[in-house]
Structures are given as C-alpha cells and as structure tokens.
C-alpha cells in the first residue's frame, strides 16, 4: 500500500474509532446501553479488519506481524461483548499509529527538505536569449544563468564575472565564498550575490545535488537489524501474554480478567520505539550534513569498534600544497613563487595548478608567459617578463652540475618532509625551490581525539602511499596502526581482516576507496560529491568536507540506539506491571487500555529525544560565523609565520647588512601582527570564551601562552634595538634565529589549541 494511502487509511480509522467511542458514550448516558454497545462494536471492526490486512500483508512479505496481541485483545473484547474495552483499544491502537506517523513525519522533515529545494528548471542561454527549460535538458557544455538568490541547478564552471555563493548546504560554513571565473560551482548551493553564468560540466542526473537527493530519498527506506530484532521480541510477547491471560482466566474463572491482561499487553513500545528513534537519529544527523542511508548503517555505526581511514584527501587535504619556499641567497621568496606561478599557467599538470593557486592565494600578480615548452614529467620553460624561466625537477634546472649549498639543503628538507621539490631558474641561474606536499587537515587531530572520546577503540590508516610518508602522518596522530602501499584490492582485504575481529567503519573520499567502503560494515564517504563512486558505494555521506563529522555520526548513532533500547525496556517493563495488575484484578479492560496508551505516548516522546540535540555535544555558545572569523585570522597569521620561517632560513647565509634588514622585518611581523593579535584575543575573545565554556580557569594555560609570545616579542624588539648601537655578528644572528623560530613554533601550536577550543564553543556544534 503506498505510504500516502496507508497514512490516509490510518487517519480514517482513528476518526471512525474516536467518533464511535464519542457517539456510544453519548447514547450510553441516555440509558440506551444496547445501542451504545453496537456502535462501539461497529467502530472497532474496521480497526480489527485493517489490522488483520496489515498482518496478512506482512506475513506474505516474509515478516511476522508484531500487532498480534492488539488483534487478539480487540477480537476477544468483541467475542466477550466487552465492546467498550474493544473500542478503547481500537482508539488507542489507531491513535498510536497516527502518533507514529506524526513522529516519523517530523523526523523525516530534514531529509525531505533536501528533496523539496532541488531545482526543477534552469535558465539556459540559447544564442542571445535565455529560455527556461527543465533541468534534465541541460547538457554538458551548455551555459546556464543563475539569478540572485537561486539554487544552482547543475554542476558547472563559472564563466564571465566572479560569483558569491552560499555553500552551507554542502560545507556547513555559513559565510558565503567568492568563486572566480574558472572555478567550480556545485549544484544545490545558493547564489547569494549578483547573477552569474556557469558552463555545465555534468548532466543534472549526475550532479552533486542529484546524488545527494538520491541518498536522502533512500535514507529511511532500509529497516535496521535492531528494528527487526524488536519484531522478534514482540513475537515472544504473544505466547507469554496468552499464557498469563489464560492463567488469570482459569484462576479467577472470569474471562474478562484474561481480556484485561491482553489489553494491557499491547506491544506498542516494541512497535514504535525502534523505528521512531532510528529515523529521528537519521534526521538529526542530516541537520549536520550527515546523510545516513537507512537504519541498518545507523545500527551498525552504533556498534562500531574500529575506524579505518584513507590518508590522501581524508586525513590530509589531498593533492599537492605549497609547504615552503626555499629562496637562493639574495632572492625574495615571493619573486620565486610569482615567476613559477606565471609560467605554470601554461601547464595542466596537477603540480602546476597547485603552484598557480598558491601564488594567487598570496595575492601575487601573474603575467602571461610566452614561448613555453613543456617536458613531460620534468617541467617547462618559457619567457616571463622578458626573462627565460625554467620550472621543474632538479635535473631539469641543474642537469649534471653540483647544486649550491642552499639547493642541497632544499633537497634534504624535501626528503625528510616527504615533499616534492620544484626548482626555479632565471636565465640559467637557479633562484629558488618550491616544496609541495600533502598536509594534515586542520581538524584531523581533533577529529581523532573526538572518535576516541566517542568510544572507538581502534583507529587505523589505510593508504596506497609509501611507508615513510604514511608513518609520519600516523605518528603525528597517534594511530593504532598504519597500513601503507595498499592498492584498492589490498584495502578490501585489510577491511575484511578487521571486520573478522570487530565491527569496522571505512572512511574515504576517492574512487579508489569505493571497493573498501562497500566492503566495510559501514562505509563513510567524505565531502559533497553526491554522484561520485565513493558516495554511491558508501552507507553514509558527510556533505561538509569535515572529518570531525565522523565522530558526530558515531555519537548520534550510539545515542539513537541507546534511546531505542531505553524506550523498549521501560515500555515493556511498564506493560509487564500493567499485565500483572490486570491478572490480579486491579485493572479492568478499559483501565488497562488507558494505561497502555499512556505508556505508548511516553515511549514515542522518549524516542523523539533522538531528534533533538543532546546537551553533551550540542550547546548554545559562540556563533559559527564568529568561530569562522577567528579561524580566518589564524590563517592570516600563519601566512606571516611562513614568512618568519623564510627569514630564519635566509639568516643562515645573509650578509650583515641584509641580516639587519631581515631581523627588523621579523620584529615588525611579530610586534605589529602576531603580538597585537594575541593581545586582542586576550582582551576580547577570551572573555567571550570564558562565558561560553562556563569556566575561565580552563583558559589560564592559553593565556600563559599569550604572555610567553608577548615576552618573546619584547626580546626580539630589544635585539633589534642593538642593531643601531652595535655591529651585527654571527652570535646576534643566531640569537635572532632562535627567537624567530621560537615564536613560529609556539604560535603554531597555540593557534591549533585555540581552534580546538573554538570548535567546542561553536553554537550547536556536535561534541
């Protein structure tokens, strides 16, 4: 029976039962008892017949009906002419079904809202006109206009002007982002600025949001093993109830007492608690951008012992990222990056894209290169601003020549950092090297700690990367095991081996992770890639590309399962007490039905607790926009810290005059930007944090770091003051390096600790 029809029938049955009860009571008060009994019987029969049809349908589908006790109690009431008890049970049973529908409808609201907001039409550019067409008619390469305030209908690349896009539905970040021409715009996000155009890169059916809608539509169709277990428990209740009812009848010689036992034993706690709690848990997860494809993954997630992570793109940011600029003596790091970025614009290599992106992020003005020649696998050369520039491997730049000391140092640093080195030369002379590597996500350490706090006993990294790079990441995160050099088939074998020991989650993001995600007890795909192979293979998709949402999913699943168990145990215990009271003769059939309905309502309300945030990991606090602004300030500070590292390195070979200039620059960065930021945090941010966290003493260690940073700033200032009164010798340079490197290390770890605190203080964020 279609869902809409079934719910309509349920509402009709409750209307008939309530109407019959009310009319019968009115007639009964006028003294016409026989007519009242007939009306009550007539009102009970449709509910009994509807229940019988439902039980037969379940049986034919291979499921045992859990409503057998309710059917027996209403049928027995009619057979014993206890029609008032029968209509009361009918009202209670039909009302319980309607309450379940209301609860499920409320719990499914977050999932359905995803489907409801999916765009149906697109503004397609056809020559010099715009035509509104069904979104399914948009083909790859078509240009689509997105008006202000509209949901982007398909995945595409921005053309023409830049766009301001609200990506909160996918990333969870409330602050709109500016996307430049050539950057992607994903379906489901919202245009929060002026109108712009995109060129479609995928048909509507394969877009990000289409995949999300498919997953949301399927998120409540599967039946959890725990719910099926509740069905079996309900079947055990039937013979126990019949035995107790029969014993009460035999002992008292009163069949009505046996009927009272049957009425009090209606198994609504088992029928309602598990599905309502699990669907509520799925809806609560959806609020955080966690799409769970049904009750089975939620149940499995609640029992998880081991979590296995892919490395690249999951624990790390994925792909090449600029980690350091090694400039030759007398060269400026920004010049090295600008020239490399300008030339790399002519290449489609992933490393070239990373270099160009890094240059643009630093605000460098790139110029168009000419006479570009690319050597596949080595690099490229061309003319930039009238000079011959070469960018690529050490062999491409140096050939058979011996490297200078700074270049040898760059190669050594690239080796122990597991980074790729890209050298840059101008007119045949090397001027610097760019080190690129794959870095940890900012939230990864916090996410690992949160998983352990959520009850995960074993955390394993599973990667195809080489052992040295993988072991470095594993040691930084204190993982239980690191499995490296694994191809996709090896990953499947590793997941299977862990599953033989304990229930296991696999978390990944790439196409190569799809087999392992499908093989695990629960596969979790990271990022808003609704149409990708990993998302399709996974049981759970985390839309915002945030690793800490994995622990939120585990907490929600455990809480939903715990609430379901609590509801069942408490509900059945109360039903058991009511059955005993009825067997003794303390409850009539009507009183038993009323008590049972009170139990049903309590069970449903308790199960709906899984829909609301738990105070243990949700709380009122700092607005998410404020926390995001604080993180952005840290990103600016880290850019200046990178410059401090460059200065400390440059002091190794700097002449005395140049050394004085570099030390003065470092002092300006530390005094005017870093120390000022720490003072502002102490005066403005920390009082707010103390109010949110409820304990200012917990921030005392962080304030101690502020004082130490400011102290180092004063020492560096004093050292700079000596530059004017005395000469610059190697001892002064060494002292300056020590101070600069101390500030760099302390501020980086301090910022990471602060971001953990900000995350705890964010309003409504899961912990």
């Amino acid at each position: 029976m279609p869902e809409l029809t079934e719910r309509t029938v349920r509402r009709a049955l409750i209307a008939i039962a309530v109407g019959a009860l009310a009319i019968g009571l009115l007639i009964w008060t006028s003294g016409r008892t026989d007519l009242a009994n007939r009306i009550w019987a007539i009102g009970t029969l449709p509910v009994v017949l509807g229940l019988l049809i439902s039980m037969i349908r379940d049986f034919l589908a291979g499921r045992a009906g859990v409503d057998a006790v309710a059917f027996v109690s209403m049928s027995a009431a009619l057979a014993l002419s206890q029609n008032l008890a029968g209509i009361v049970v009918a009202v209670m049973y039909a009302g319980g079904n309607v309450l379940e529908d209301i609860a499920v409808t409320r719990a499914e609201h977050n999932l359905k809202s995803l489907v409801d907001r999916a765009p149906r039409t697109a503004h397609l550019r056809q020559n010099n006109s715009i035509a509104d067409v069904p979104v399914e008619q948009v083909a790859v390469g078509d240009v689509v206009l997105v008006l202000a305030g509209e949901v982007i209908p398909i995945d595409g690349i921005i053309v023409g002007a830049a766009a301001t896009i609200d990506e909160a539905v996918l990333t969870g970040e409330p602050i709109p982002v500016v996307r430049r021409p050539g950057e992607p715009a994903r379906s489901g996000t919202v245009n929060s600025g002026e109108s712009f155009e995109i060129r479609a890169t995928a048909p509507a059916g394969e877009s990000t949001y289409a995949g999300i809608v498919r997953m949301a539509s399927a998120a409540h169709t599967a039946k959890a093993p725990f719910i099926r277990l509740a069905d079996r428990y309900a079947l055990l209740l039937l013979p126990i109830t019949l035995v107790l009812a029969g014993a009460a009848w035999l002992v008292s010689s009163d069949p009505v007492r046996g009927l009272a036992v049957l009425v009090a034993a209606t198994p609504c706690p088992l029928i309602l608690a598990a599905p309502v709690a699990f669907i509520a848990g799925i809806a609560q997860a959806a609020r955080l951008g966690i799409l769970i494809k049904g009750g089975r993954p939620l149940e499995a997630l609640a029992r998880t012992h081991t979590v296995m992570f892919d490395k690249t793109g999951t624990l790390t940011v994925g792909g090449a990222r600029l980690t350091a600029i090694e400039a030759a003596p007398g060269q400026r790091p920004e010049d090295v990056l600008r020239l490399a970025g300008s030339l790399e614009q002519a290449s489609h290599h992933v490393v070239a894209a990373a270099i160009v992106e890094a240059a643009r992020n630093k605000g460098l003005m790139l110029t168009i290169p000419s006479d570009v020649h690319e050597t596949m696998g080595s690099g490229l050369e061309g003319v930039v601003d009238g000079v011959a520039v070469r960018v690529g491997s050490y062999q491409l730049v140096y050939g058979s020549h011996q490297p200078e000391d700074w270049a040898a140092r760059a190669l050594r640093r690239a080796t122990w950092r597991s980074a790729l080195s890209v050298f840059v030369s101008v007119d045949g002379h090397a001027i610097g090297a760019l080190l690129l590597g794959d870095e940890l996500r900012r939230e990864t350490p916090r996410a690992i700690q949160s998983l352990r706090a959520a009850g995960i006993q074993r955390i394993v990294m599973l990667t195809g990367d080489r052992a040295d790079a993988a072991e470095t990441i594993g040691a930084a995160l204190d993982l239980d095991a690191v499995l490296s050099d694994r191809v996709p088939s090896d990953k499947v074998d590793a997941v299977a081996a862990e599953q033989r020991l304990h229930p296991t989650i696999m978390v990944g993001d790439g196409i190569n992770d799809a087999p392992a995600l499908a093989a695990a007890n629960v596969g979790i795909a990271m990022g808003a890639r609704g149409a990708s192979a990993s998302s399709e293979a996974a049981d759970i998709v985390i839309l915002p590309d945030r690793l800490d949402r994995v622990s939120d999913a585990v907490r929600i699943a455990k809480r939903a399962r715990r609430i379901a168990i609590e509801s069942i145990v408490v509900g059945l215990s109360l039903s058991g007490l009511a059955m005993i009271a009825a067997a003794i003769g303390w409850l009539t059939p009507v009183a038993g039905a009323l008590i049972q309905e009170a139990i049903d309502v309590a069970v449903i309300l308790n199960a709906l607790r899984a829909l609301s945030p738990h105070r243990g990991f949700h709380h009122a606090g700092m607005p998410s926009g404020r926390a995001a602004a604080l993180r952005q300030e840290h990103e600016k500070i880290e850019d200046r810290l990178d410059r401090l590292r460059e200065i400390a390195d440059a002091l190794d070979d700097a002449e005395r005059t140049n050394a004085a200039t570099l030390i003065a620059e470092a002092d300006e960065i530390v005094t005017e930007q870093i120390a000022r930021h720490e003072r502002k945090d102490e005066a403005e941010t920390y009082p707010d944090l103390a109010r949110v966290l409820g304990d200012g003493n917990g921030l005392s260690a962080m304030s101690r770091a502020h004082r130490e940073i400011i102290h180092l700033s004063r020492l560096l200032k004093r050292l700079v003051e000596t530059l004017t009164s005395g000469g610059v010798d190697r001892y002064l340079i060494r002292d300056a390096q020590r101070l600069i490197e101390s500030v760099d290390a302390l501020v980086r770890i301090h910022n990471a600790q602060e971001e953990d605190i900000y995350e705890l203080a964010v309003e409504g964020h899961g912990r």
Side-chain angles (χ1 to χ4, degrees):
M1 183 183 299
E3 181 182 6
L4 179 61
T5 304
E6 185 172 350
R7 289 187 175 182
T8 302
V9 169
R10 287 180 172 182
R11 290 168 184 164
L13 290 178
I14 184 61
I16 292 172
V18 169
L21 176 61
I23 294 172
L25 287 174
L26 185 63
I27 294 175
W28 179 77
T29 57
S30 66
R32 303 184 64 181
T33 305
D34 292 342
L35 180 58
N37 275 307
R38 284 197 293 272
I39 291 175
W40 289 332
I42 292 171
T44 304
L45 278 174
V47 179
V48 173
L49 292 175
L51 179 54
L52 178 61
I53 293 171
S54 177
M55 291 171 60
I56 293 173
R57 183 191 60 199
D58 289 344
F59 180 79
L60 293 176
R63 302 189 301 268
V66 298
D67 301 329
V69 176
F71 176 77
V72 171
S73 63
M74 284 186 283
S75 300
L78 293 177
L80 296 174
S81 298
Q82 295 291 319
N83 297 338
L84 177 58
I87 192 62
V88 170
V89 173
V91 169
M92 302 311 173
Y93 177 78
N97 284 335
V98 172
L99 284 174
E100 180 186 7
D101 289 341
I102 293 172
V104 170
T105 299
R106 181 189 169 194
E108 291 174 345
H109 173 74
N110 294 90
L111 302 177
K112 289 185 175 180
S113 64
L114 288 171
V115 180
D116 293 340
R117 72 188 297 276
R120 302 292 189 270
T121 61
H123 310 303
L124 181 64
R125 177 172 292 282
Q126 297 176 337
N127 298 323
N128 294 322
S129 63
I130 301 293
D132 288 346
V133 300
V135 69
E136 294 80 10
Q137 293 184 13
V138 178
V140 175
D142 286 346
V143 175
V144 173
L145 175 67
V146 183
L147 301 178
E150 285 189 337
V151 176
I152 299 176
I154 43 89
D155 289 349
I157 297 296
I158 297 172
V159 296
T164 302
I165 301 176
D166 179 358
E167 299 180 343
V169 69
L170 300 184
T171 66
E173 293 297 334
I175 301 175
V177 297
V178 177
R179 298 293 182 192
R180 295 185 291 267
E183 293 186 335
R186 291 177 290 184
S187 58
T189 57
V190 179
N191 177 11
S192 59
E194 299 294 331
S195 299
F196 65 92
E197 293 183 338
I198 59 175
R199 189 178 303 279
T201 57
E206 299 176 10
S207 68
T208 297
Y209 202 69
I212 293 171
V213 168
R214 286 196 299 273
M215 290 181 286
S217 301
H220 59 278
T221 57
K223 201 172 188 183
F226 185 73
I227 298 174
R228 291 193 292 268
L229 185 64
D231 292 346
R232 292 196 293 271
Y233 286 158
L235 289 179
L236 292 175
L237 182 63
L238 178 59
I240 295 173
T241 301
L242 293 176
V243 169
L244 184 58
W249 183 358
L250 290 175
V251 171
S252 65
S253 300
D254 183 5
V256 175
R257 186 174 295 187
L259 174 62
V261 173
L262 292 173
V263 170
T266 304
C268 285
L270 280 170
I271 298 170
L272 302 179
V276 170
F278 275 71
I279 292 175
I282 292 172
Q284 172 60 23
R287 288 177 178 165
L288 297 179
I290 305 167
L291 282 184
I292 303 176
K293 301 178 185 178
R296 188 204 64 77
L298 191 73
E299 159 68 11
L301 193 63
R303 296 183 291 105
T304 297
H305 175 279
T306 301
V307 176
M308 305 185 77
F309 285 101
D310 170 56
K311 181 180 79 71
T312 305
T314 302
L315 294 175
T316 64
V317 294
R321 296 290 189 278
L322 180 67
T323 59
I325 303 175
E326 301 284 343
Q331 299 293 333
R332 299 173 61 214
E334 53 267 31
D335 290 338
V336 176
L337 181 58
R338 185 185 66 82
L339 290 171
S342 296
L343 184 59
E344 292 285 11
Q345 292 179 103
S347 174
H348 295 288
H349 195 278
V350 63
V351 172
I355 293 173
V356 172
E357 180 183 7
R360 286 175 173 167
N361 288 340
K362 289 183 178 292
L364 301 178
M365 297 298 295
L366 304 183
T367 56
I368 302 300
S370 60
D371 298 328
V372 178
H373 303 282
E374 184 165 6
T375 303
M376 297 304 296
S378 295
L380 67 165
E381 53 187 309
V383 177
V384 177
D385 294 338
V387 297
V389 178
R390 182 175 291 175
V391 179
S393 66
Y394 164 78
Q395 290 78 11
L396 179 69
V397 172
Y398 277 95
S400 59
H401 295 87
Q402 288 294 322
E404 297 99 326
D405 290 342
W406 72 265
R409 182 182 64 185
L411 288 171
R412 184 172 62 251
R413 286 180 172 176
T415 299
W416 62 258
R417 288 184 179 181
S418 298
L420 172 69
S421 58
V422 177
F423 283 82
V424 182
S425 71
V426 173
D427 292 333
H429 299 287
I431 65 168
L434 308 177
L435 303 190
L436 298 100
D438 192 12
E439 297 181 322
L440 279 176
R441 292 169 178 259
R442 299 176 73 92
E443 76 272 17
T444 295
R446 181 175 64 250
I448 297 299
Q449 293 174 356
S450 297
L451 277 172
R452 296 202 187 276
I456 299 301
Q457 301 298 311
R458 178 171 166 82
I459 301 178
V460 179
M461 184 169 71
L462 183 59
T463 178
D465 206 349
R466 61 190 188 278
D468 56 349
E471 291 291 348
T472 299
I473 298 295
L477 297 175
D478 192 25
L479 303 180
D480 297 298
V482 175
L483 306 178
S484 57
D485 296 308
R486 305 298 172 108
V487 299
S489 59
D490 295 333
K491 290 184 178 183
V492 173
D493 294 339
V495 169
E498 290 289 340
Q499 282 187 164
R500 286 193 288 269
L501 300 175
H502 301 287
T504 300
I505 295 174
M506 175 65 195
V507 185
D509 76 313
I511 293 175
N512 63 324
D513 297 321
L517 294 176
N521 295 107
V522 180
I524 300 181
M526 291 293 301
R529 304 176 181 93
S532 71
S534 59
S535 295
E536 297 292 345
D539 302 294
I540 298 172
V541 177
I542 298 180
L543 302 183
D545 202 9
R546 293 180 49 172
L547 199 62
D548 50 0
R549 288 292 191 250
V550 177
S551 62
D552 289 340
V554 172
R555 290 173 184 270
I556 289 171
K558 288 180 178 291
R559 183 168 180 255
R561 188 175 190 273
R562 184 176 66 251
I563 288 174
I565 293 174
E566 289 173 355
S567 299
I568 288 173
V569 170
V570 173
L572 288 182
S573 298
L574 293 175
S575 293
L577 293 175
M579 290 166 60
I580 294 173
I584 296 173
W586 292 349
L587 291 178
T588 64
V590 174
L594 293 173
I595 289 176
Q596 185 59 49
E597 178 62 11
I599 295 172
D600 295 346
V601 172
V603 164
I604 292 174
L605 293 177
N606 187 65
L608 279 175
R609 284 170 47 222
L611 186 63
S612 60
H614 185 259
R615 67 172 182 233
F617 60 97
H618 281 268
H619 53 80
M622 183 184 295
S624 58
R626 175 77 184 281
L630 292 171
R631 287 194 295 270
Q632 289 176 356
E633 288 183 20
H634 279 181
E635 290 174 0
K636 294 178 182 178
I637 291 294
E638 287 184 7
D639 181 63
R640 306 317 298 151
L641 292 176
D642 290 341
R643 178 56 185 157
L644 286 182
R645 281 185 175 178
E646 293 169 358
I647 291 173
D649 288 343
L651 286 173
D652 286 340
D653 306 309
E655 297 179 356
R656 293 187 177 186
T657 302
N658 189 35
T661 303
L662 291 172
I663 295 171
E665 181 187 352
D667 171 60
E668 182 180 2
I669 292 172
V670 173
T671 302
E672 298 300 325
Q673 298 180 52
I674 295 175
R676 178 178 294 179
H677 169 78
E678 305 304 343
R679 288 191 179 97
K680 179 182 177 183
D681 273 358
E682 187 69 30
E684 300 177 10
T685 304
Y686 276 33
D688 291 343
L689 281 172
R691 284 191 291 271
V692 170
L693 299 175
D695 181 12
N697 295 328
L699 294 173
S700 59
M702 306 301 293
S703 295
R704 175 71 178 84
H706 285 169
R707 293 193 296 273
E708 183 63 24
I709 293 168
I710 293 170
H711 172 63
L712 292 173
S713 171
R714 292 194 184 102
L715 293 180
L716 185 59
K717 174 66 70 177
R718 290 178 184 175
L719 187 148
V720 170
E721 290 171 354
T722 66
L723 295 177
T724 58
S725 59
V728 178
D729 56 29
R730 62 189 179 94
Y731 299 108
L732 186 146
I733 293 175
R734 185 180 63 184
D735 289 340
Q737 283 178 308
R738 287 177 175 174
L739 286 172
I740 293 169
E741 289 169 348
S742 295
V743 171
D744 173 62
L746 180 56
V747 174
R748 287 183 189 274
I749 187 64
H750 177 67
N751 284 357
Q753 292 170 331
E754 279 190 335
E755 288 178 16
D756 285 349
I757 295 176
Y758 295 164
E759 198 66 26
L760 287 171
V762 169
E763 181 179 17
H765 180 68
R767 276 283 128 326

